[in-house]
Amino acid sequence: MLLKIAKVFCSLHLLGFLTPVVATDDPGANYSIDEPESTFENANGQFSIKLLYNVGSAVGTSQTAATLYEKDCDGDATSDTVIAIVTKSVSGSQLEVKVNIAKENLGSSSLVDLEGGFGASKGTLNFCVRSETLTTDATPISVSFIDSNIALSYDLSNNDFKVEDNTVVKDVIKETDTEVVTKYKVDACRCSKDSSDCLVTLPDLSQNGLVYVCLYPNSTDVKISNFNMKFEQDDDLGNHYEIVTLGTTEPESNSLTAITGDGTTTSRYKVVSRLITRLFESSDTTFDITGTAYLVFTATRRERRLVNVDANLRSDVSR
């Protein structure tokens, strides 16, 4: 075959072509596409991933295509409601593809690998983007393509809160101190029977009384799905006295504690618990209220109601 081609070029030359035939060693190079750079964006709660590709000089917006697939581009994902391509444009030999993420659907998407034991609060979104360059033919031909796996991990499970130094001998409670480790966080404060607002003037805690603690997220994007809460005292309580435990799907209170609300910014979780005798018998006159809360992105609304707080929290403990 090589000898035959050589003869053809030779015969063309001998036939008197004045303009030599110039062959390129990289045909179709103007339709090239390189591996993308990816960035995560959060525009007022709207999550997105932007992919930026370098493309050949012949490529305009109409000469590109972008499609969503499952991980490794092995299965169509265009019908999944958690991701959608919202922007595809070429400017200055760069193709930009923007994929929006519906965070409220992360907990139910088949593209998300949830980590066991955390419900919908922790997981990784896995999907693949195939971007292509096309010819200008009536039926475009795909010239080059790049498959890119995207993995977006999120963790809304590590939200520690603390209401410190709750004095139980007729002293004023100190200010709330909340510790968080994520952008979306949980705030905790002392509140009252009649309101979920944080108290400005803090009442004394007395024996056989009740303490009210309110929990709420710092954003309407998320809600508290589960949490635990405990009283910690340096002396006779040992490690702690747990009043709320992590349930299978929601927090579970002990027999001396009750929970109202749904864990959103507008319907805060309110925890009311009986102050047990051991708090007053300890040589330590203060105790801390601590715990960890799990957040999920807002999708559905759940209501909890408590008819009679005082009646549900009757205690035979006295001093």
Side-chain angles (χ1 to χ4, degrees), residues 176-187:
T176 297
D177 181 23
T178 303
E179 298 178 359
V180 297
V181 294
T182 57
K183 177 182 177 182
Y184 293 110
K185 66 177 185 176
V186 171
D187 288 320

Side-chain angles (χ1 to χ4, degrees), residues 58-71:
V59 178
T61 300
S62 60
Q63 280 79 57
T64 62
T67 312
L68 297 172
Y69 291 92
E70 297 174 359
K71 184 178 179 180

Side-chain angles (χ1 to χ4, degrees), residues 47 103 156 159 182-186 216-225 262-266 294-299:
F47 289 1
K103 57 184 180 298
L156 302 177
N159 298 281
T182 57
K183 177 182 177 182
Y184 293 110
K185 66 177 185 176
V186 171
Y216 54 97
N218 70 330
S219 170
T220 56
D221 291 345
V222 292
K223 63 183 291 185
I224 301 171
S225 63
D262 66 5
T264 60
T265 56
T266 56
Y294 292 176
L295 295 171
V296 294
F297 291 109
T298 303

Side-chain angles (χ1 to χ4, degrees), residues 34 36 41 47-48 53 62 87 104 108 111 143 146 177 199 208 226 293 302:
D34 295 338
E41 297 180 344
F47 289 1
S48 63
Y53 306 80
S62 60
T87 299
E104 65 274 12
S108 58
L111 301 178
V143 180
I146 291 288
D177 181 23
L199 294 175
N208 301 324
N226 214 340
R302 183 184 75 246

Side-chain angles (χ1 to χ4, degrees), residues 163 188-191 211-215 229 269-272 289:
V163 183
C189 66
R190 286 277 307 281
C191 52
V211 60
Y212 295 84
V213 180
C214 287
L215 302 177
M229 185 180 292
Y269 269 132
K270 182 189 291 185
V271 178
V272 52
I289 302 171

Side-chain angles (χ1 to χ4, degrees), residues 129-150:
V129 180
R130 172 171 292 182
S131 294
E132 305 173 77
T133 60
L134 312 172
T135 65
T136 57
D137 298 328
T139 302
I141 299 172
S142 177
V143 180
S144 302
F145 74 95
I146 291 288
D147 288 344
S148 303
N149 277 326
I150 306 296

Side-chain angles (χ1 to χ4, degrees), residues 4-63:
K4 182 177 181 181
I5 291 174
K7 290 180 179 178
V8 170
F9 274 108
C10 182
S11 62
L12 289 174
H13 179 71
L14 293 175
L15 286 174
F17 284 92
L18 298 178
T19 303
V21 176
V22 179
T24 176
D25 60 357
D26 193 6
N30 289 340
Y31 291 94
S32 63
I33 182 170
D34 295 338
E35 293 285 347
E37 294 182 0
S38 62
T39 56
F40 173 78
E41 297 180 344
N42 181 3
N44 297 320
Q46 175 59 66
F47 289 1
S48 63
I49 293 177
K50 183 172 70 176
L51 302 172
L52 200 61
Y53 306 80
N54 289 323
V55 294
S57 58
V59 178
T61 300
S62 60
Q63 280 79 57

